[in-house]
């Protein structure tokens, strides 16, 4: 068999990074500006053309490509900018405002003017149906009325539909019947809550379903665009996308709810895998890009969150635990009210920083140019009308000179630039403290794995600020998020709520559910061309005590083993010292945890309170993920 090309791509907000492995096996890399409409339509495709030496307008020989693995910000940008597809919400009668009301939480209780996030759906239709918590059907839906309502929505031009019924996570019969009618009416995008997020809590399940309906059409159109430009039809070229959980999946399985952290997740995988090769198993990932800086924590296992909030929208989907701060290479430098400020606004790819020759404002990258950390002699010459000019150091000095004159306190241009850099470093160091020091980890025991286009400019200063002694800089650190796409596993995840008290007589049911979820995940992997013998499954249960709302993941096993693991977790999280006896040990409580089974890699259990609790009930179920490297 003739060797072929492999492409690993991170489609970021400022640059698109492409790593290629040609038939000779020598790694090649390319950075392409995210936006340059006069030269190309899509930066990822342009990078492939340049690396394969294919002229503009000529067909890309997809038959010579083995795989294209990509992380994309398409869904992220659509959510942040509220540019998804027009979506309708079909919900149980009496709950039309449930998602808008939410949980009535107020992040800032002293704010006088509360600005609620904009809802993603355009219209709400109530369905006269109701299933009680025990499965009793109180009212069946009138399917004729449902059909008429859906036809009216369709005639209004709405093509995305989110269906969310009470208790459908356990009793989905009504949702299935209505979804079938929606397909007959002609909706191309139908997101059903018992398929998107089969877990308790109407609000989070509903929000996740709406997000999926809102973003999936945008994602699908981009995937179709890539397939069209690569012309992979009739070839054995495989196109795969990175999910927020750090797992690769096929294009037809890539959903909107799983694409929010598509790009950053690849960076976490790349940082962890390259650090392991270097002999480090405790790292802080430091990904400084053009718009923001993403930091992550790794201590032997990838940390994933199952309940998150992004851009004011609650979601329940597995995502890498990544903390983001608005301090990237493109964060704008402000001098106002007598003080220096960095961000949170970013200059973006167009016009970009002042040194990019497009008339942009001063940003963090310009400050590094001013103090001599970036030299035009070594930076890629990709600027100007023909994309062949170097950084413009003269315009940077001129703009900082104007700022120095405006400040008027006698400081030089270099001193002012250095002051802005110290502010940016403090912001990034504080972000790392939130995921390490504030959770009981001694950050000085970790290595700082630096990557991202701007990471090398600030990594040493950030490490000094935190007292860290080791900084890892991979040869491909500037494009490590793209490189991580090639190092990631192909995975499938399933989850299912159990909602029962964790007891010995429940283990048989959990084993049965685990086997069913394992069959689904393995089937998905086999469908993507992975031999069953090479599939590996991990099952976890998310458990909590009855009356609490914070589940913790444990490995699915015996009752005693899960309780022991559950009891150890609060000790680590509540105390930086492993020698001190923690009051959170589960032995202090007489109640027993509830179980939740998810088809993923970790189960949940909630923290016990200090006072005795009533006998608990399980909250979630074990998860069974399959994976293949």
């Amino acid at each position: 068999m003739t060797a072929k090309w492999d492409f690993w791509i991170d489609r970021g907000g400022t640059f698109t990074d492409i790593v290629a492995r040609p038939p000779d096996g020598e790694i090649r890399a390319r950075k392409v500006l995210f936006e340059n409409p006069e030269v190309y339509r899509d930066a990822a495709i342009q990078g492939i053309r340049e690396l394969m030496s294919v002229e503009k307008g000529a067909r890309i020989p997809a038959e010579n490509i083995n795989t294209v693995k990509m992380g994309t910000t398409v869904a992220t940008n659509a959510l942040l900018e509220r540019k998804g597809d027009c979506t309708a919400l079909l919900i149980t009668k009496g709950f039309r405002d449930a998602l808008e009301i939410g949980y009535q939480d107020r992040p800032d209780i002293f704010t006088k003017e509360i600005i609620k996030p904009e809802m993603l759906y355009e219209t709400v239709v109530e369905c006269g149906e109701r299933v009680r918590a025990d499965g009793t059907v109180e009212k069946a839906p009138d399917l004729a009325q449902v059909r008429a309502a859906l036809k009216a929505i369709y005639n209004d031009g709405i093509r995305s539909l989110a269906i969310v019924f009470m208790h459908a996570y356990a009793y989905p019969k009504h949702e299935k019947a209505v979804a079938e009618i929606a397909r007959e009416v002609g909706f191309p995008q139908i997101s059903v809550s018992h398929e998107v997020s089969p877990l308790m809590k109407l609000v989070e399940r509903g929000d996740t379903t709406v997000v999926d309906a809102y973003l999936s059409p945008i994602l699908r159109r981009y995937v179709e665009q890539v397939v069209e430009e690569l012309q992979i039809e009739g070839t054995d070229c495989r196109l795969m996308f990175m999910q927020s959980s750090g797992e690769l999946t096929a294009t037809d399985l890539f959903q909107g709810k799983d694409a929010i952290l598509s790009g950053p997740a690849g960076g976490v995988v790349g940082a962890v895998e390259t650090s392991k090769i270097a002999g480090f198993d405790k790292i802080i990932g430091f990904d400084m890009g053009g718009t923001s800086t993403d930091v992550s924590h790794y201590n032997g296992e990838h940390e994933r969150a199952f309940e998150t909030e992004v851009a004011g929208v609650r979601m329940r989907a597995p995502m890498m635990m990544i903390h983001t701060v608005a301090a990237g290479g493109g964060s704008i430098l402000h001098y106002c009210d007598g003080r220096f400020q960095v961000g949170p606004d970013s200059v973006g790819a167009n016009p970009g920083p002042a040194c990019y020759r497009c008339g942009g404002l001063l940003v963090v990258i310009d400050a590094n140019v001013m103090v001599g950390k970036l030299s035009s002699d070594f930076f890629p010459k990709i600027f100007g009308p023909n994309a062949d000019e170097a950084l413009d150091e003269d315009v940077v000095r001129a703009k900082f000179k104007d700022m120095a004159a405006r400040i008027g306190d006698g400081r030089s241009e270099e001193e002012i630039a250095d002051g802005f850099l110290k502010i940016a470093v403090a912001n990034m160091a504080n972000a790392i403290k939130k995921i390490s020091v504030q959770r009981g980890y001694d950050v000085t025991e970790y290595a700082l794995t630096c990557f991202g286009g701007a990471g090398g400019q600030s990594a040493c200063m950030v490490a000094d600020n935190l007292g860290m002694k080791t900084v890892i800089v991979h040869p491909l650190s500037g494009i490590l998020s793209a490189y991580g796409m090639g190092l990631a596993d192909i995975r499938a995840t399933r989850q299912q709520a159990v909602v029962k008290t964790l007891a010995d007589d429940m283990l048989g049911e959990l084993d049965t559910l685990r086997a069913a979820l394992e069959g689904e995940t393995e089937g998905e992997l086999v469908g993507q061309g992975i031999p069953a013998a090479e599939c590996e499954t991990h099952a976890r249960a998310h458990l909590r005590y009855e009356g609490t709302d914070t589940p913790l993941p444990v490995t699915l096993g015996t009752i005693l083993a899960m309780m022991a693991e559950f009891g150890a977790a609060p000790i680590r999280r509540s105390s930086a010292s492993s020698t001190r006896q923690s009051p959170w040990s589960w032995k202090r409580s007489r109640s027993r945890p509830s179980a939740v089974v998810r088809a993923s890699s970790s189960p949940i259990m909630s923290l016990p309170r200090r006072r005795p609790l009533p006998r608990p009930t399980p909250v979630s179920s074990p998860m069974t993920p399959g994976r293949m490297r």
Side-chain angles (χ1 to χ4, degrees):
M1 179 179 175
T2 306
K4 297 184 179 183
W5 289 76
D6 287 299
F7 290 97
W8 310 324
I9 303 170
D10 175 28
R11 190 175 181 270
T14 305
F15 280 100
T16 291
D17 300 338
I18 303 100
V19 175
R21 184 172 59 190
D24 61 15
E26 183 180 352
I27 296 294
R28 302 179 191 176
R30 186 64 54 95
K31 272 186 177 287
V32 181
L33 279 172
F34 175 75
E35 258 187 312
N36 198 343
E38 296 180 2
V39 181
Y40 46 79
R41 179 184 178 190
D42 183 79
I45 300 300
Q46 177 66 17
I48 293 176
R49 286 185 178 278
E50 293 178 4
L51 287 163
M52 295 187 73
S53 301
V54 178
E55 295 183 0
K56 183 177 181 179
R59 176 184 175 273
I60 295 176
E63 61 275 7
N64 296 333
I65 301 175
N66 181 35
T67 59
V68 177
K69 300 177 180 179
M70 184 185 302
T72 175
T73 57
V74 169
T76 312
N77 294 341
L79 181 61
L80 293 173
E81 300 171 9
R82 294 299 195 265
K83 292 183 178 179
D85 265 28
C86 290
T87 301
L89 170 63
L90 183 61
I91 196 167
T92 301
K93 187 173 183 179
F95 293 89
R96 64 176 301 118
D97 298 320
L99 304 190
E100 184 174 358
I101 294 171
Y103 294 123
Q104 294 287 292
D105 55 333
R106 294 178 58 180
D108 187 349
I109 62 174
F110 298 108
T111 299
K112 294 181 179 179
E113 181 183 6
I114 301 174
I115 301 176
K116 296 164 60 177
E118 180 184 351
M119 302 309 296
L120 301 184
Y121 48 82
E122 290 287 319
T123 185
V124 182
V125 176
E126 292 181 288
C127 179
E129 70 81 39
R130 187 63 186 270
V131 178
R132 296 175 181 174
D134 61 359
T136 303
V137 177
E138 182 176 313
K139 181 178 177 59
D142 185 329
L143 299 184
Q145 289 184 358
V146 170
R147 185 182 298 274
L150 292 180
K151 283 184 177 180
I153 295 172
Y154 189 87
N155 292 336
D156 287 340
I158 296 177
R159 296 294 181 267
S160 290
L161 180 67
I163 303 174
V164 184
F165 291 164
M166 284 290 292
H167 306 302
Y169 73 93
Y171 310 104
K173 182 178 179 180
H174 291 175
E175 282 194 347
K176 290 180 179 179
V178 172
E180 181 59 33
I181 292 176
R183 280 187 280 271
E184 294 173 2
V185 170
F187 284 93
Q189 175 60 45
I190 305 168
S191 296
V192 190
S193 75
H194 76 270
E195 297 174 353
V196 174
S197 180
L199 299 174
M200 291 179 67
K201 297 184 180 180
L202 175 72
V203 172
E204 288 183 351
R205 176 162 52 90
D207 276 343
T208 305
T209 306
V210 171
V211 166
D212 191 70
Y214 185 72
L215 297 179
S216 289
I218 298 286
L219 211 57
R220 185 166 54 247
R221 286 194 287 271
Y222 177 70
V223 170
E224 291 172 353
Q225 174 188 319
V226 173
V227 170
E228 177 187 349
E229 296 212 25
L230 285 176
Q231 299 183 35
I232 64 177
E233 294 292 339
T235 71
D236 57 359
C237 173
R238 297 177 63 199
L239 176 62
M240 310 191 76
F241 283 87
M242 174 65 73
Q243 301 179 100
S244 302
S245 57
E247 305 160 354
L248 288 168
T249 193
T251 54
D252 57 331
L253 300 173
F254 195 37
Q255 297 177 266
K257 71 180 180 68
D258 297 320
I260 304 301
L261 297 182
S262 175
V268 176
V269 173
V272 168
E273 295 301 324
T274 54
S275 299
K276 283 182 183 177
I277 294 172
F280 296 90
D281 57 3
K282 296 173 68 174
I283 70 162
I284 297 294
F286 176 69
D287 179 8
M288 185 176 178
T291 305
S292 61
T293 295
D294 299 327
V295 296
S296 55
H297 172 266
Y298 180 81
N299 187 19
E301 184 178 1
H302 285 296
E303 295 185 337
R304 293 183 174 90
F306 293 92
E307 297 180 8
T308 54
E309 183 172 322
V310 179
V313 179
R314 295 168 293 266
M315 278 180 290
R316 187 183 278 169
M319 294 186 185
M320 286 287 194
M321 286 185 63
I322 299 172
H323 185 68
T324 302
V325 61
S331 294
I332 300 175
L333 310 181
H334 301 279
Y335 178 78
C336 57
D337 300 328
R339 61 193 181 100
F340 291 177
Q341 298 177 18
V342 178
D345 48 340
S346 174
V347 75
N350 189 12
C355 60
Y356 281 14
R357 298 181 178 273
C358 289
L361 302 173
L362 286 177
V363 299
V364 172
I365 285 180
D366 297 314
N368 281 304
V369 171
M370 188 68 250
V371 299
K373 290 187 177 181
L374 282 182
S375 171
S376 59
D377 296 333
F378 302 105
F379 204 87
K381 295 177 173 55
I382 57 174
F383 307 103
N386 298 318
D388 58 358
E389 297 184 50
L391 293 172
D392 192 339
E393 296 182 359
D394 294 334
V395 72
V396 171
R397 179 168 292 277
K399 285 181 176 287
F400 270 109
K401 187 174 182 179
D402 291 342
M403 182 177 286
R406 181 156 47 89
I407 295 173
D409 60 1
R411 277 182 284 188
S412 66
E413 299 92 304
E414 291 82 1
E415 289 174 325
I416 291 173
D418 186 61
F420 279 113
L421 291 177
K422 288 178 179 177
I423 301 262
V425 166
N427 291 340
M428 292 181 282
N430 287 336
I432 292 176
K433 290 177 183 177
K434 287 184 178 181
I435 65 167
S436 57
V437 177
Q438 294 182 15
R439 296 173 58 211
Y441 296 102
D442 183 357
V443 74
T444 61
E445 298 176 354
Y446 287 69
L448 186 70
T449 300
C450 151
F451 58 109
Q457 303 166 27
S458 304
C460 289
M461 291 189 293
V462 170
D464 283 342
N465 186 293
L466 296 167
M468 302 177 72
K469 301 178 178 63
T470 303
V471 175
I472 303 174
V473 183
H474 190 271
L476 295 176
S477 62
I479 51 174
L480 201 64
S481 290
Y483 190 56
M485 306 295 169
L487 301 177
D489 294 333
I490 301 172
R491 292 183 180 233
T493 300
R494 293 291 186 277
Q495 55 189 5
Q496 181 64 52
V498 174
V499 197
K500 292 183 179 179
T501 302
L502 184 61
D504 292 334
D505 58 1
M506 183 186 171
L507 291 180
E509 180 182 347
L510 294 182
D511 286 340
T512 301
L513 178 56
R514 178 194 184 280
L517 296 177
E518 180 180 355
E520 293 181 17
T521 55
E522 186 173 305
E524 183 174 313
L525 293 179
V526 171
Q528 297 183 64
I530 307 302
E534 298 181 15
C535 296
E536 180 182 337
T537 300
H538 298 271
R540 296 186 184 275
H542 289 244
L543 310 177
R544 64 168 173 82
Y545 276 104
E546 184 179 28
T548 66
D549 198 32
T550 306
L552 294 177
V554 298
T555 302
L556 183 63
T558 64
I559 299 294
L560 289 178
M562 288 192 287
M563 281 192 167
E565 187 175 346
F566 168 79
I571 298 175
R572 175 179 54 77
R573 295 191 180 200
S574 64
S575 173
S577 171
S578 60
T579 60
R580 180 168 63 87
Q581 175 64 33
S582 169
W584 287 97
S585 170
W586 69 270
K587 294 178 181 179
R588 296 291 296 270
S589 173
R590 298 176 183 174
S591 62
R592 301 194 63 180
S594 351
V596 177
V597 180
R598 304 192 179 211
S600 75
S601 52
S602 64
I604 319 177
M605 184 177 201
S606 56
L607 299 180
R609 297 175 177 173
R610 299 193 183 192
R611 61 180 176 81
L613 295 175
R615 191 173 182 81
T617 57
V619 187
S620 296
S621 32
M623 306 175 78
T624 311
R627 67 165 185 151
M628 154 70 189
R629 186 175 293 280

